[in-house]
Amino acid sequence: MSGARVIGKVLLIDDEPDIRRIGQLSLERVGRWQVAVAASGAEALAVAARERPDVILLDVMMPVDDGPTTLARLRERPDTADIPVIFMTAKVLPHELQRWRELGAAGTIPKPFDPMTLPDEVRRVLAAAEAP
């Protein structure tokens, strides 16, 4: 695993305060990562540019700018274009998973997630996305 991506900082974007709180606690305490949070797509763009996270966890279903729209906006900006994005969603139908990969997502983590294994899921998705 010498080529594995090193994660120091994660940006968690979700419109649900409880998901942000539980996710942040999991990523900080279990994953031992720094965590920034955002409640909307618009806020996420500013936080991502400022914080420069190593990976972004992005809720698919959000009001105003949903996950795919936010991902497209992140990809348009030179300072955030290369940050891996993992969608988080309760909708995990195969055709949707394929569509999100085509949009540039590294992968998907199903919700509800297990706070004790969330950091391992992030690592697993990133490793699978970087595999040849």
Side-chain angles (χ1 to χ4, degrees):
M1 274 188 96
S2 61
R5 178 179 294 273
V6 175
I7 302 170
K9 186 181 289 186
V10 178
L11 170 55
L12 173 63
I13 307 158
D14 200 296
D15 61 310
E16 293 289 332
D18 289 343
I19 299 293
R20 286 194 310 274
R21 188 169 26 259
I22 292 166
Q24 182 173 11
L25 285 171
S26 168
L27 297 167
E28 287 176 345
R29 293 188 180 170
V30 179
R32 303 277 184 220
W33 297 324
Q34 294 178 27
V35 179
V37 295
S40 69
E43 183 183 1
L45 296 176
V47 174
R50 182 181 70 238
E51 297 290 333
R52 301 296 312 217
D54 299 302
V55 63
I56 295 173
L57 301 181
L58 176 57
D59 184 22
V60 170
M61 302 292 290
M62 295 188 297
V64 186
D65 290 338
D66 64 4
T69 301
T70 301
L71 174 59
R73 291 200 172 133
L74 287 163
R75 292 294 177 249
E76 291 169 357
R77 300 169 59 138
D79 56 345
T80 59
D82 295 332
I83 301 171
V85 173
I86 299 172
F87 278 131
M88 295 177 55
T89 183
K91 296 176 74 175
V92 289
L93 298 175
H95 70 279
E96 290 171 327
L97 297 177
Q98 180 60 34
R99 178 175 161 256
W100 297 330
R101 292 285 299 205
E102 291 168 359
L103 291 174
T108 305
I109 293 176
K111 285 166 66 175
F113 55 83
D114 178 347
M116 296 309 295
T117 62
L118 180 59
D120 286 337
E121 284 293 299
V122 170
R123 289 184 192 100
R124 180 191 59 75
V125 169
L126 290 177
E130 293 172 354

